[in-house]
Amino acid sequence: MTTTTRSRAAAGVTLLIATSLALTACGTDTTDKPAAKENQNKPGAPAKPVTDPLVATYEGGFYVLDGRTLKVVKDIPMAGFNRVNPAGDDRHVIVSTSEGFRVMDAVDQRLTDTEFKGPKPGHVVRHADRTVLFTDGTGQVTSFDPHDLAGGKPATTTYTSAAPHHGVAVELKDGRLVSTLGTEEKRTGLVVLGKDREEIARNEQCPGVHGEATAKDEVVVVGCEDGVLVYKNGAFTKVKSPTAYGRIGNQAGSDLSPIVLGDFKKDKDAELERPRQVSLINTITGKMNLLDLGTSYTFRSLARGPHAEGLVLGTDGRIHVIDPEAGKVTRTIPAIGTWQEPLDWQQPRPALFVRDHTAYVTDPATKKIHAVDIETGKELASATLPATPNEISGVKH
């Protein structure tokens, strides 16, 4: 089902409710969370705009940071576990709440009244000037032009999946929608819908489908428990992992590179596998190479640099810079001290966020955040936050 809607957000201040936790590391859930605190953005003198803001989450709210100094310019309370993603323009981020997706104006340091309601908000994907939200609790896919957020709630196009599930979707330049197939119990593959949302292709050979990345020439790669599924030139290709069980659930792509960086887990029975290998999926050759980093990492460790280099924040405290074509680590950048991934996925662990030529790294153990120049490895700024940071994101085209 496809619908198009437009409305305008009303001004005002709302009462925020607890952000929920998901059954996986991408959604939300409302179990045993305290009542939300009131948004402290009271009417009055407008806040001084922040240039290139960052947003760090902590247990109980968000810190809006100056992108250059990393100093906290605003504390926005919001009870519970919070999640944040870039909205796709130069001033907004998307916040997940128990009622759906909420828009924050990070430049003006305030939560707006623009929201996309629905239970268990999940993945937020940006591509080709379209932002796509996947609501796990309903299976609804909502897409819009993020540059319209400045005028309130933008015009949206929605599609409802056959069944609710923990999913993800991406809209291509020509309006095609690539979206996951599944139910709450089982996820199986992908469906491709035309601009009018009629089905034009599907593939159900991707058990446990999770995560998405877009490579050069709009090639879409999604992870499976036995490799990846590639959608290219209107057709699907399965790239199998070199092991019977080889789960890829988090990927990082670049419009400059045909190679997608992914995680790689091979122990199906592990309570928590701390992987030491990453996957490099070549969308031209259809081959997957594995690269041993000599250190473990987590789902918040993957990113791409300004020249399409792969970046992985290891538990050795260093950013490992990868040449995707050569399939090797070319250098490492010291960032923080050594650390270990906690058993509970929503517990704080170091996170990596990249914008332009700068890598931002959080260090929950010291409550610090660091900005590092990717080319030189030089630390540009460092700051200590009042509370332990968890996720880090920011405005990003």
Side-chain angles (χ1 to χ4, degrees):
M1 177 179 70
T2 305
T3 60
T4 301
T5 61
R6 178 178 285 276
S7 64
R8 290 291 177 185
V13 180
T14 60
L15 185 68
L16 301 179
I17 58 179
T19 300
S20 47
L21 298 177
L23 297 176
T24 72
C26 299
T28 55
D29 180 352
T30 57
T31 307
D32 297 325
K33 289 298 172 185
K37 298 177 184 178
E38 186 178 358
N39 180 8
Q40 292 183 348
N41 292 311
K42 301 296 184 182
K48 183 179 179 181
V50 180
T51 301
D52 296 328
L54 300 168
V55 179
T57 70
Y58 66 92
E59 187 176 0
F62 304 88
Y63 293 130
V64 180
L65 312 176
D66 183 293
R68 292 169 296 187
T69 66
L70 306 184
K71 292 182 178 180
V72 176
V73 294
K74 188 71 175 182
D75 181 352
I76 302 177
M78 189 177 196
F81 177 79
N82 303 307
R83 310 217 70 187
V84 63
N85 287 279
D89 67 353
D90 59 1
R91 70 179 303 122
H92 296 94
V93 296
I94 303 292
V95 174
S96 299
T97 78
S98 62
E99 291 190 339
F101 297 97
R102 186 82 178 269
V103 177
M104 178 190 293
D105 186 329
V107 171
D108 284 345
Q109 312 117 60
R110 63 183 180 87
L111 283 158
T112 74
D113 290 326
T114 299
E115 58 184 333
F116 305 89
K117 290 189 175 182
K120 298 181 181 179
H123 282 278
V124 178
V125 174
R126 299 168 295 109
H127 176 72
D129 285 331
R130 298 293 288 179
T131 299
V132 179
L133 314 176
F134 198 103
T135 302
D136 294 350
T138 62
Q140 180 168 292
V141 179
T142 304
S143 63
F144 57 90
D145 185 336
H147 301 96
D148 291 342
L149 289 171
K153 193 168 186 178
T156 62
T157 299
T158 63
Y159 163 77
T160 302
S161 307
H165 63 281
H166 179 55
V168 65
V170 57
E171 185 172 322
L172 303 181
K173 290 178 181 178
D174 63 3
R176 280 177 296 165
L177 184 75
V178 182
S179 188
T180 51
L181 291 165
T183 65
E184 292 181 353
E185 292 76 31
K186 187 178 182 180
R187 303 190 301 277
T188 57
L190 290 174
V191 62
V192 182
L193 308 166
K195 190 172 183 179
D196 296 327
R197 297 303 179 252
E198 75 283 1
E199 182 175 324
I200 57 178
R202 74 163 50 204
N203 185 297
E204 297 188 59
Q205 303 303 312
C206 187
V209 59
H210 188 274
E212 170 277 340
T214 306
K216 186 178 181 180
D217 298 326
E218 280 203 308
V219 179
V220 178
V221 176
V222 299
C224 316
E225 291 179 350
D226 58 357
V228 298
L229 202 57
V230 178
Y231 181 67
K232 176 183 177 182
N233 296 330
F236 285 106
T237 301
K238 181 64 177 283
V239 179
K240 292 186 177 181
S241 68
T243 55
Y245 178 85
R247 183 182 186 273
I248 297 171
N250 300 279
Q251 307 90 36
S254 169
D255 292 339
L256 302 176
S257 173
I259 299 174
V260 167
L261 170 68
D263 58 1
F264 188 78
K265 293 185 176 182
K266 57 187 177 182
D267 187 351
K268 186 176 182 179
D269 300 320
E271 178 184 8
L272 173 65
E273 182 176 356
R274 295 185 170 96
R276 298 171 68 89
Q277 292 177 305
V278 293
S279 55
L280 295 167
I281 302 102
N282 191 317
T283 62
I284 293 178
T285 64
K287 302 291 185 180
M288 179 191 302
N289 293 321
L290 300 180
L291 174 61
D292 196 322
L293 298 179
T295 185
S296 63
Y297 59 93
T298 77
F299 67 94
R300 291 188 187 145
S301 294
L302 306 181
R304 298 300 285 266
H307 308 294
E309 61 269 49
L311 301 172
V312 183
L313 177 63
T315 55
D316 59 357
R318 306 176 75 88
I319 299 172
H320 297 248
V321 182
I322 299 170
D323 180 336
E325 299 285 348
K328 65 179 182 180
V329 175
T330 58
R331 59 194 173 93
T332 62
I333 303 172
I336 58 175
T338 59
W339 53 283
Q340 186 179 55
E341 179 182 5
L343 289 174
D344 190 349
W345 74 266
Q346 67 263 37
Q347 289 299 307
R349 82 281 311 283
L352 172 66
F353 175 70
V354 173
R355 184 167 61 198
D356 298 327
H357 296 259
T358 304
Y360 301 92
V361 179
T362 60
D363 186 359
T366 61
K367 299 182 181 180
K368 288 182 176 294
I369 178 172
H370 307 277
V372 179
D373 183 273
I374 296 170
E375 269 87 3
T376 66
K378 179 183 177 181
E379 184 173 272
L380 303 174
S382 181
T384 302
L385 304 178
T388 301
N390 199 336
E391 293 196 342
I392 179 72
S393 191
V395 300
K396 189 174 184 181
H397 293 288

mmCIF file of all heavy atoms in Angstrom, residues 120-139:
data_model
loop_
_atom_site.group_PDB
_atom_site.id
_atom_site.type_symbol
_atom_site.label_atom_id
_atom_site.label_comp_id
_atom_site.label_asym_id
_atom_site.label_seq_id
_atom_site.Cartn_x
_atom_site.Cartn_y
_atom_site.Cartn_z
ATOM 1 N N LYS A 120 8.045 0.586 17.781
ATOM 2 C CA LYS A 120 9.356 0.010 17.487
ATOM 3 C C LYS A 120 10.035 0.641 16.268
ATOM 4 O O LYS A 120 10.272 -0.011 15.252
ATOM 5 C CB LYS A 120 9.240 -1.510 17.288
ATOM 6 C CG LYS A 120 8.740 -2.258 18.513
ATOM 7 C CD LYS A 120 8.667 -3.756 18.251
ATOM 8 C CE LYS A 120 8.150 -4.498 19.465
ATOM 9 N NZ LYS A 120 8.050 -5.963 19.209
ATOM 10 N N PRO A 121 10.356 1.913 16.338
ATOM 11 C CA PRO A 121 11.091 2.538 15.231
ATOM 12 C C PRO A 121 12.460 1.890 15.075
ATOM 13 O O PRO A 121 13.136 1.616 16.057
ATOM 14 C CB PRO A 121 11.202 3.999 15.667
ATOM 15 C CG PRO A 121 11.108 3.950 17.165
ATOM 16 C CD PRO A 121 10.166 2.829 17.472
ATOM 17 N N GLY A 122 12.846 1.628 13.831
ATOM 18 C CA GLY A 122 14.103 0.913 13.589
ATOM 19 C C GLY A 122 15.100 1.702 12.768
ATOM 20 O O GLY A 122 15.527 2.787 13.145
ATOM 21 N N HIS A 123 15.461 1.165 11.595
ATOM 22 C CA HIS A 123 16.536 1.751 10.789
ATOM 23 C C HIS A 123 16.143 3.080 10.148
ATOM 24 O O HIS A 123 14.998 3.290 9.750
ATOM 25 C CB HIS A 123 16.934 0.779 9.675
ATOM 26 C CG HIS A 123 17.812 -0.342 10.127
ATOM 27 N ND1 HIS A 123 19.166 -0.211 10.274
ATOM 28 C CD2 HIS A 123 17.522 -1.615 10.470
ATOM 29 C CE1 HIS A 123 19.683 -1.360 10.681
ATOM 30 N NE2 HIS A 123 18.703 -2.226 10.809
ATOM 31 N N VAL A 124 17.135 3.958 10.040
ATOM 32 C CA VAL A 124 17.024 5.215 9.301
ATOM 33 C C VAL A 124 18.090 5.175 8.214
ATOM 34 O O VAL A 124 19.276 5.023 8.509
ATOM 35 C CB VAL A 124 17.257 6.435 10.212
ATOM 36 C CG1 VAL A 124 17.197 7.733 9.412
ATOM 37 C CG2 VAL A 124 16.253 6.453 11.362
ATOM 38 N N VAL A 125 17.670 5.285 6.948
ATOM 39 C CA VAL A 125 18.600 5.182 5.819
ATOM 40 C C VAL A 125 18.531 6.453 4.988
ATOM 41 O O VAL A 125 17.451 6.930 4.641
ATOM 42 C CB VAL A 125 18.265 3.961 4.935
ATOM 43 C CG1 VAL A 125 19.142 3.951 3.684
ATOM 44 C CG2 VAL A 125 18.459 2.668 5.717
ATOM 45 N N ARG A 126 19.696 6.992 4.640
ATOM 46 C CA ARG A 126 19.779 8.184 3.788
ATOM 47 C C ARG A 126 20.448 7.809 2.470
ATOM 48 O O ARG A 126 21.509 7.184 2.461
ATOM 49 C CB ARG A 126 20.615 9.268 4.471
ATOM 50 C CG ARG A 126 20.080 9.754 5.803
ATOM 51 C CD ARG A 126 21.094 10.603 6.544
ATOM 52 N NE ARG A 126 22.269 9.842 6.919
ATOM 53 C CZ ARG A 126 23.462 9.977 6.380
ATOM 54 N NH1 ARG A 126 23.672 10.868 5.431
ATOM 55 N NH2 ARG A 126 24.470 9.242 6.778
ATOM 56 N N HIS A 127 19.804 8.195 1.363
ATOM 57 C CA HIS A 127 20.399 7.947 0.055
ATOM 58 C C HIS A 127 19.682 8.796 -0.990
ATOM 59 O O HIS A 127 18.448 8.913 -0.973
ATOM 60 C CB HIS A 127 20.285 6.466 -0.331
ATOM 61 C CG HIS A 127 20.809 6.168 -1.708
ATOM 62 N ND1 HIS A 127 22.154 6.184 -2.007
ATOM 63 C CD2 HIS A 127 20.171 5.879 -2.870
ATOM 64 C CE1 HIS A 127 22.325 5.906 -3.285
ATOM 65 N NE2 HIS A 127 21.131 5.726 -3.835
ATOM 66 N N ALA A 128 20.441 9.397 -1.891
ATOM 67 C CA ALA A 128 19.900 10.141 -3.036
ATOM 68 C C ALA A 128 18.880 11.194 -2.616
ATOM 69 O O ALA A 128 17.819 11.334 -3.238
ATOM 70 C CB ALA A 128 19.274 9.167 -4.047
ATOM 71 N N ASP A 129 19.203 11.938 -1.563
ATOM 72 C CA ASP A 129 18.327 12.987 -1.062
ATOM 73 C C ASP A 129 16.959 12.461 -0.643
ATOM 74 O O ASP A 129 15.947 13.177 -0.708
ATOM 75 C CB ASP A 129 18.153 14.116 -2.080
ATOM 76 C CG ASP A 129 19.384 15.005 -2.174
ATOM 77 O OD1 ASP A 129 20.094 15.124 -1.157
ATOM 78 O OD2 ASP A 129 19.633 15.565 -3.254
ATOM 79 N N ARG A 130 16.914 11.212 -0.196
ATOM 80 C CA ARG A 130 15.711 10.647 0.393
ATOM 81 C C ARG A 130 16.103 9.996 1.709
ATOM 82 O O ARG A 130 17.132 9.318 1.814
ATOM 83 C CB ARG A 130 15.062 9.599 -0.516
ATOM 84 C CG ARG A 130 14.603 10.125 -1.855
ATOM 85 C CD ARG A 130 13.455 11.101 -1.732
ATOM 86 N NE ARG A 130 12.197 10.448 -1.360
ATOM 87 C CZ ARG A 130 11.054 11.106 -1.182
ATOM 88 N NH1 ARG A 130 11.026 12.435 -1.312
ATOM 89 N NH2 ARG A 130 9.948 10.468 -0.869
ATOM 90 N N THR A 131 15.286 10.230 2.721
ATOM 91 C CA THR A 131 15.473 9.584 4.016
ATOM 92 C C THR A 131 14.347 8.589 4.202
ATOM 93 O O THR A 131 13.171 8.928 4.010
ATOM 94 C CB THR A 131 15.477 10.615 5.145
ATOM 95 O OG1 THR A 131 16.571 11.519 4.938
ATOM 96 C CG2 THR A 131 15.629 9.951 6.503
ATOM 97 N N VAL A 132 14.701 7.355 4.572
ATOM 98 C CA VAL A 132 13.717 6.285 4.681
ATOM 99 C C VAL A 132 13.725 5.736 6.109
ATOM 100 O O VAL A 132 14.763 5.352 6.638
ATOM 101 C CB VAL A 132 14.004 5.155 3.671
ATOM 102 C CG1 VAL A 132 12.974 4.042 3.814
ATOM 103 C CG2 VAL A 132 13.994 5.699 2.245
ATOM 104 N N LEU A 133 12.539 5.711 6.714
ATOM 105 C CA LEU A 133 12.352 5.203 8.072
ATOM 106 C C LEU A 133 11.634 3.858 8.005
ATOM 107 O O LEU A 133 10.652 3.717 7.273
ATOM 108 C CB LEU A 133 11.510 6.181 8.901
ATOM 109 C CG LEU A 133 11.871 7.668 8.819
ATOM 110 C CD1 LEU A 133 10.870 8.490 9.629
ATOM 111 C CD2 LEU A 133 13.289 7.908 9.309
ATOM 112 N N PHE A 134 12.086 2.895 8.786
ATOM 113 C CA PHE A 134 11.418 1.599 8.851
ATOM 114 C C PHE A 134 10.880 1.399 10.266
ATOM 115 O O PHE A 134 11.638 1.382 11.234
ATOM 116 C CB PHE A 134 12.368 0.461 8.489
ATOM 117 C CG PHE A 134 11.666 -0.822 8.132
ATOM 118 C CD1 PHE A 134 11.550 -1.211 6.804
ATOM 119 C CD2 PHE A 134 11.098 -1.638 9.102
ATOM 120 C CE1 PHE A 134 10.889 -2.381 6.455
ATOM 121 C CE2 PHE A 134 10.431 -2.804 8.775
ATOM 122 C CZ PHE A 134 10.329 -3.180 7.443
ATOM 123 N N THR A 135 9.570 1.264 10.373
ATOM 124 C CA THR A 135 8.921 1.046 11.665
ATOM 125 C C THR A 135 8.686 -0.452 11.843
ATOM 126 O O THR A 135 7.800 -1.042 11.214
ATOM 127 C CB THR A 135 7.584 1.805 11.736
ATOM 128 O OG1 THR A 135 7.831 3.204 11.523
ATOM 129 C CG2 THR A 135 6.933 1.629 13.096
ATOM 130 N N ASP A 136 9.480 -1.061 12.723
ATOM 131 C CA ASP A 136 9.436 -2.513 12.881
ATOM 132 C C ASP A 136 8.074 -3.023 13.342
ATOM 133 O O ASP A 136 7.637 -4.098 12.930
ATOM 134 C CB ASP A 136 10.500 -2.964 13.889
ATOM 135 C CG ASP A 136 11.919 -2.722 13.393
ATOM 136 O OD1 ASP A 136 12.094 -2.385 12.205
ATOM 137 O OD2 ASP A 136 12.854 -2.869 14.209
ATOM 138 N N GLY A 137 7.409 -2.277 14.215
ATOM 139 C CA GLY A 137 6.158 -2.750 14.797
ATOM 140 C C GLY A 137 4.996 -2.831 13.838
ATOM 141 O O GLY A 137 4.013 -3.540 14.095
ATOM 142 N N THR A 138 5.081 -2.128 12.708
ATOM 143 C CA THR A 138 4.013 -2.157 11.711
ATOM 144 C C THR A 138 4.495 -2.608 10.334
ATOM 145 O O THR A 138 3.686 -2.947 9.479
ATOM 146 C CB THR A 138 3.384 -0.762 11.546
ATOM 147 O OG1 THR A 138 4.392 0.151 11.068
ATOM 148 C CG2 THR A 138 2.817 -0.258 12.862
ATOM 149 N N GLY A 139 5.804 -2.580 10.118
ATOM 150 C CA GLY A 139 6.341 -2.877 8.807
ATOM 151 C C GLY A 139 6.211 -1.720 7.840
ATOM 152 O O GLY A 139 6.447 -1.869 6.638
#
